[in-house]
Amino acid sequence: MKNLLDFTINAHGGLENFNKFETVSARLICDGVLWSMVGHPGSVDDIYVTSHTNKQFTSHRPFLNKDWHTAFTSQHVAIKNSKGEIIEELSNPRDSFAGYTTETPWSQLQLAYFTGYAMWTYFNAPFNFGDAGYKVEELAPWEENGEVFHRLQVTFPEQVATHSPVQTFYIDKNGLIKRHDYNVDIAGGATAAHYLSDYIDVQGIKIATKRNVYIRQEDNTPLFPEPLLVSIDLREISRK
């Protein structure tokens, strides 16, 4: 397919429309075994998130305490109260995960870091892939459940905090991302096959309202249906 990236960006609403707004916000209803695995069961069961589109910044609220919210950037993460006072903070948070496996519990700040970069990645794809520093390559098509997907392999810039440097996005015939593969480097490189569905139009931009993440096996197929690592149900989505 000629220029798969342009096709995908346009199918999601187009770069011009995306750039009209600076933030994306939503209510998240989350589940899955990951939160218990990292020592924070129920921490993101029902929470609000706002991510910026012109810089890497995300905030979740209420976070672990009804008066707390997070402030994530690629090199710093903090938990603050409603007055803006810092409860905890950590610079270079990625370094704190050195030697971690899928069984290593996370601190509150590490949880804030993961949820911050993850939602920023999800809200900004695929619009940021044309920015300086991103490298995009089209891979061979992939067939799954009778459907053929075109695939974009994206190498993220070093300064962008995300799951892993190289990630793969599966594009359906309408140009929508239906699957997203990556390794969770901060959890020992755990493999993930992340499925997107139930797209809606939010002020001209297509956003998937349901996400389910499974273990990705060596043959590139998901370990399905269990364990469900993470599920995300997005509601009350808005752009400003």
Side-chain angles (χ1 to χ4, degrees):
M1 178 178 293
K2 184 179 180 180
N3 208 332
L4 179 58
L5 177 58
D6 285 348
F7 175 66
T8 304
I9 290 175
N10 290 333
H12 285 82
L15 193 58
E16 182 178 354
N17 192 7
F18 182 77
N19 287 336
K20 292 178 181 178
F21 302 89
E22 295 182 353
T23 64
V24 183
S25 299
R27 178 185 177 189
L28 306 182
I29 308 298
C30 298
D31 202 351
V33 301
L34 172 70
W35 315 112
S36 293
M37 290 169 59
V38 299
H40 294 282
S43 58
V44 290
D45 283 0
D46 192 344
I47 194 169
Y48 287 86
V49 61
T50 296
S51 284
H52 284 243
T53 58
N54 56 4
K55 60 181 178 180
Q56 192 167 29
F57 178 88
T58 300
S59 181
H60 284 83
R61 62 177 176 84
F63 187 78
L64 303 177
N65 181 302
K66 64 181 181 180
D67 190 49
W68 291 356
H69 65 273
T70 67
F72 154 83
T73 68
S74 63
Q75 296 298 321
H76 185 268
V77 65
I79 298 172
K80 301 181 179 182
N81 62 22
S82 58
K83 297 179 180 179
E85 299 167 334
I86 295 174
I87 306 301
E88 292 184 273
E89 64 179 330
L90 179 63
S91 295
N92 302 314
R94 202 171 193 90
D95 294 346
S96 70
F97 291 92
Y100 275 34
T101 70
T102 55
E103 299 176 352
T104 308
W106 294 349
S107 69
Q108 294 180 156
L109 287 167
Q110 288 173 324
L111 176 66
Y113 175 75
F114 171 79
T115 55
Y117 83 60
M119 290 310 303
W120 185 90
T121 299
Y122 307 155
F123 278 143
N124 282 274
F127 301 101
N128 53 327
F129 297 163
D131 292 349
Y134 286 84
K135 297 179 181 179
V136 180
E137 178 184 354
E138 185 172 354
L139 302 180
W142 173 263
E143 184 174 350
E144 186 169 333
N145 296 326
E147 188 172 3
V148 176
F149 297 98
H150 292 273
R151 295 190 296 168
L152 286 174
Q153 180 178 276
V154 180
T155 302
F156 284 67
E158 185 177 351
Q159 69 271 20
V160 172
T162 187
H163 293 299
S164 55
V166 179
Q167 304 177 31
T168 303
F169 295 81
Y170 296 62
I171 317 301
D172 72 5
K173 63 182 181 181
N174 298 313
L176 297 178
I177 299 170
K178 302 304 289 288
R179 175 176 161 178
H180 174 195
D181 289 357
Y182 47 84
N183 296 342
V184 185
D185 286 352
I186 63 173
T191 59
H194 178 146
Y195 289 86
L196 296 74
S197 63
D198 292 34
Y199 273 86
I200 63 171
D201 187 295
V202 180
Q203 296 162 277
I205 295 297
K206 295 290 192 302
I207 296 179
T209 60
K210 295 189 182 298
R211 295 171 172 269
N212 292 310
V213 185
Y214 303 94
I215 294 171
R216 189 177 77 254
Q217 302 181 100
E218 289 187 6
D219 64 357
N220 206 45
T221 62
L223 184 59
F224 181 84
E226 299 292 343
L228 174 60
L229 298 177
V230 174
S231 68
I232 303 173
D233 184 355
L234 277 69
R235 307 176 185 179
E236 303 171 30
I237 308 169
S238 64
R239 302 169 62 222
K240 294 182 180 179

